[in-house]
Amino acid sequence: MEQYFERLKTCPLFEGIAEPELPGMLSCMQAHVHACAKNQAVLREGDPAGTIGIVLSGGIQVEKTDYYGNRTLLARLEPPELFGEAFACAGVQQLPVSVIAVQDSEVLLIPCKRILTTCANCCEFHTRVLYNLLRIVASKNLMLNQKIEFLSKRTTKEKLMAFLLAQAKQNGSRTFSIPYDRQALADYLGVERSAMSAELSRLRREGKIDFYKNQFKLL
């Protein structure tokens, strides 16, 4: 576990926790590392929703598949981001989403009850971790509201431009990269890939954007 301490120190859940506290804290929380290959499910829709995960290496995405097999991409996460915290804290019995590794990855899995319930030793870190978890859940809620704003746009072009403008603002630059390939971006915005690709080409011809793979520039 020690080889992951440098990464865990940068995780928002452990902000304010000194490195010497990590071994005892992770032991108290019954945290364990899980390795998963590319395209392997870390957690599946229908699994018990009591686990909080932290991406240690690689990358994962949170997705939902409807009755007809249509996939909706909810989030793409990289180290040291969290997943599963909203469902675990809400007391949902079963996960309504799946968590899939998009490359060979390692994740740290923590039973949520070990964070929410103070242990018999009254470890000092519990209060800090609970505060951090509340802030993370609130921040994720803001991100969800932003995605709802993208999806509320009527046309594919409007969805694309709202997303790209938000990415530029987030990066503080007209030139930026996005964490999605074309199919993943289409799934994230809830549009057809072919229609989205056509709109991207049209926006380039109109002189509004330029791009190469996942690198974009607003003109």
Side-chain angles (χ1 to χ4, degrees):
M1 189 76 76
E2 292 183 5
Q3 67 266 35
Y4 303 107
F5 284 179
E6 284 298 319
R7 176 57 52 80
L8 290 175
K9 286 194 303 181
T10 66
C11 176
L13 184 64
F14 302 138
E15 183 176 335
I17 304 296
E19 184 171 338
E21 296 180 276
L22 286 175
M25 180 185 67
L26 294 174
S27 177
C28 181
M29 291 181 173
Q30 298 180 355
H32 66 279
V33 176
H34 175 68
C36 40
K38 182 178 179 180
N39 297 324
Q40 180 182 348
V42 182
L43 298 170
R44 292 186 181 277
E45 183 175 350
D47 284 350
T51 301
I52 292 177
I54 300 171
V55 185
L56 297 174
S57 66
I60 65 166
Q61 62 187 29
V62 182
E63 60 185 51
K64 186 173 181 61
T65 305
D66 66 18
Y67 179 81
Y68 297 102
N70 299 310
R71 184 184 70 163
T72 300
L73 179 59
L74 302 178
R76 174 76 176 267
L77 305 174
E78 299 178 346
E81 294 182 285
L82 271 71
F83 58 91
E85 73 286 344
F87 303 117
C89 292
V92 175
Q93 294 301 309
Q94 295 182 322
L95 281 174
V97 300
S98 293
V99 180
I100 309 296
V102 295
Q103 52 187 296
D104 291 348
S105 305
E106 292 175 302
V107 298
L108 185 73
L109 300 178
I110 305 171
C112 185
K113 64 181 180 180
R114 300 296 299 182
I115 298 178
L116 300 180
T117 305
T118 303
C119 69
N121 297 324
C122 297
C123 301
E124 294 182 2
F125 64 76
H126 270 290
T127 300
R128 181 66 193 184
V129 172
L130 278 170
Y131 171 79
N132 291 342
L133 181 59
L134 177 62
R135 188 172 60 178
I136 291 167
V137 171
S139 177
K140 291 284 186 74
N141 186 56
L142 293 175
M143 293 173 61
L144 178 60
N145 287 336
Q146 184 182 60
K147 181 175 181 179
I148 292 173
E149 180 183 344
F150 300 154
L151 297 181
S152 68
K153 302 300 182 182
R154 297 185 61 183
T155 67
T156 298
K157 179 180 179 179
E158 290 173 340
K159 291 178 181 181
L160 273 170
M161 286 306 300
F163 171 77
L164 294 174
L165 288 169
Q167 289 291 305
K169 183 176 181 180
Q170 179 180 322
N171 286 275
S173 172
R174 289 178 172 270
T175 302
F176 53 88
S177 62
I178 65 172
Y180 307 118
D181 59 23
R182 291 293 182 269
Q183 185 60 59
L185 179 58
D187 291 339
Y188 179 77
L189 295 176
V191 298
E192 289 290 335
R193 176 177 176 173
S194 57
M196 184 193 72
S197 296
E199 286 296 345
L200 285 171
S201 297
R202 187 175 294 112
L203 287 167
R204 173 188 268 168
R205 290 196 302 271
E206 293 174 354
K208 295 183 178 179
I209 65 170
D210 195 10
F211 57 86
Y212 176 72
K213 294 186 177 180
N214 69 333
Q215 302 289 325
F216 284 82
K217 182 178 182 179
L218 298 181
L219 303 176

